[in-house]
Amino acid sequence: MTFAPSSLTIRPALDSEAAAIGQLTESAFLVGPYGHLPVSAERRAFSLDAAGRAASGTLLVALNADGALVGTASVLRAGTPYARRANAGEAEIRLLAVAPEARGAGIGDALMRASLEVALEWGATALVLDTGELNLTAQRLYERLGFEREAVIDGTGRAASLVVYRYPLQQSPDEVLVRLMHDDEVDAVASLSERAYSHDYTLNDSYRASIVDVAGRAAEHQVWVAVDTQTGALLGTVSTPRDGATMTDLAQPGEMDFRLLAVSPDARRRGLGELLSRHVLLLGRLRQVSQVVMNSGPEMLGAHKLYAQVGFDRLLDREPVMTFPNGNQLKLLSFGYALTA
């Protein structure tokens, strides 16, 4: 995964990077507002235990254009040994650290955005964290990204007071969760998609084949599913590109497109189309794209109504005309949702 700034690459850590990650974490915190305080053996062990943090979720690293390690963050699942704020179903970020010589380049911002996307992929209801009350730089970053200040926990003895933040990731956490499709759900998602599209439209063979090629789509892009929290049933799906890529020719540089939003016929009228659309918009905001775009067939009137309701506009100057082997032509409609900083 690659996040802004463009010279920065963020990815899961390699086992061979464990020692360097530990050293970077220690050096980053030494120049922070609490760097003058003694470090307990427990805290030092936590900072150095890169393998343990990776086993508890995802350990991210940031690399500069030269491939040098310049930052790291641990995204932890609730209930794992190092998570301390996350409730069931939430994710937690700890030990966000940027190399002292690389501060001020947007690396902390990029790591936080990457961490939010990791939690989104898991289907976490929120990403939570805490930070020292004196760490004002970190607090400004979290609040700029949209984290909500939840509580201040007073310190006792030598312990520092902590500020707790939460970023909600799901629109209907008590009813429906959106997450990445699991490998064993490929056939179910293909069936759902085909039923959804054939329920409303007449499908030709090539379009049907594209709809049901979920495995091929997931190998290159991201296939998301909406899941009923009570029954576990799959209710809907939508596909997005991996960060920095596109799925169609419609997306211009700095934009993100999506395809094949589908809601199971027996799950209609639950607002799932809007929920999946807004999920895509959240992903676009995390990636800092300028606009989210998509094409739609002229007969898909229900989809057009949904997109207008969510806030998409027609892109009249970007509507392609498809020509088929038999000479027939089809003009696709294009829609875009401009995102602001």
Side-chain angles (χ1 to χ4, degrees), residues 6 37 53 67 79 108 146 194 204 210 235 242 262 273 276 286 288-289 341:
S6 58
L37 297 178
R53 300 200 303 280
E194 184 177 24
N204 60 43
S210 173
L235 306 175
R242 300 188 189 282
L276 287 166
L286 294 181
Q288 295 185 287
V289 302

Side-chain angles (χ1 to χ4, degrees), residues 101-122:
E101 69 276 10
R103 292 193 169 190
I107 296 169
D109 182 287
L111 280 164
M112 288 301 301
R113 292 178 185 277
S115 299
L116 283 161
E117 185 163 337
V118 168
L120 201 63
E121 291 176 349
W122 294 348

Side-chain angles (χ1 to χ4, degrees), residues 25-37 100 103 134-135 137:
T25 303
E26 285 197 315
S27 64
F29 280 88
L30 280 173
V31 298
Y34 298 99
H36 62 289
L37 297 178
R103 292 193 169 190
L134 299 181
N135 197 347
T137 300

Side-chain angles (χ1 to χ4, degrees), residues 94-324:
R94 295 195 68 187
L95 294 187
L96 172 68
V98 175
E101 69 276 10
R103 292 193 169 190
I107 296 169
D109 182 287
L111 280 164
M112 288 301 301
R113 292 178 185 277
S115 299
L116 283 161
E117 185 163 337
V118 168
L120 201 63
E121 291 176 349
W122 294 348
T125 57
L127 182 64
V128 300
L129 59 89
D130 61 38
T131 187
E133 191 174 31
L134 299 181
N135 197 347
L136 301 181
T137 300
Q139 291 172 42
R140 284 193 292 270
L141 168 62
Y142 305 145
E143 291 169 11
R144 186 172 68 249
L145 288 171
F147 279 78
E148 302 168 356
R149 182 183 285 229
E150 187 170 75
V152 176
I153 300 174
D154 292 333
T156 56
R158 291 188 174 183
S161 295
L162 297 173
V163 184
V164 180
Y165 285 93
R166 172 173 274 97
Y167 191 114
L169 291 169
Q170 301 286 338
Q171 298 178 63
S172 302
D174 296 331
E175 301 177 5
V176 181
L177 291 180
V178 180
R179 58 164 171 77
L180 278 188
M181 177 189 71
H182 296 161
D183 291 342
D184 60 359
E185 295 172 329
V186 169
D187 291 342
V189 173
S191 175
L192 182 156
S193 300
E194 184 177 24
R195 285 186 290 109
Y197 278 86
S198 62
H199 181 271
D200 296 326
Y201 316 111
T202 300
L203 308 178
N204 60 43
D205 291 343
S206 62
Y207 193 36
R208 186 184 301 272
S210 173
I211 289 170
V212 301
D213 185 22
V214 176
R217 206 150 54 244
E220 186 176 359
H221 304 295
Q222 296 170 307
V223 178
W224 302 88
V225 291
V227 183
D228 189 300
T229 58
Q230 300 301 312
T231 67
L234 299 183
L235 306 175
T237 181
V238 69
S239 296
T240 59
R242 300 188 189 282
D243 187 63
T246 60
M247 300 187 73
T248 69
D249 294 334
L250 177 63
Q252 297 180 355
E255 296 180 343
M256 186 184 84
D257 54 356
F258 69 95
R259 291 192 65 215
L260 297 174
L261 189 155
V263 175
S264 176
D266 56 6
R268 301 282 172 92
R269 303 188 184 281
R270 292 181 58 177
L272 293 165
E274 180 173 349
L275 183 146
L276 287 166
S277 298
R278 295 197 182 281
H279 172 83
V280 173
L281 294 177
L282 171 58
L283 188 62
R285 290 188 180 95
L286 294 181
R287 294 178 180 178
Q288 295 185 287
V289 302
S290 61
Q291 186 168 215
V292 173
V293 298
M294 108 286 290
N295 288 130
S296 181
E299 77 282 10
M300 298 180 174
L301 301 181
H304 305 164
K305 183 178 179 181
L306 165 66
Y307 299 142
Q309 177 180 321
V310 172
F312 283 82
D313 296 315
R314 283 279 297 276
L315 302 176
L316 297 173
D317 60 338
R318 294 166 61 179
E319 299 193 330
V321 177
M322 299 175 61
T323 301
F324 298 98

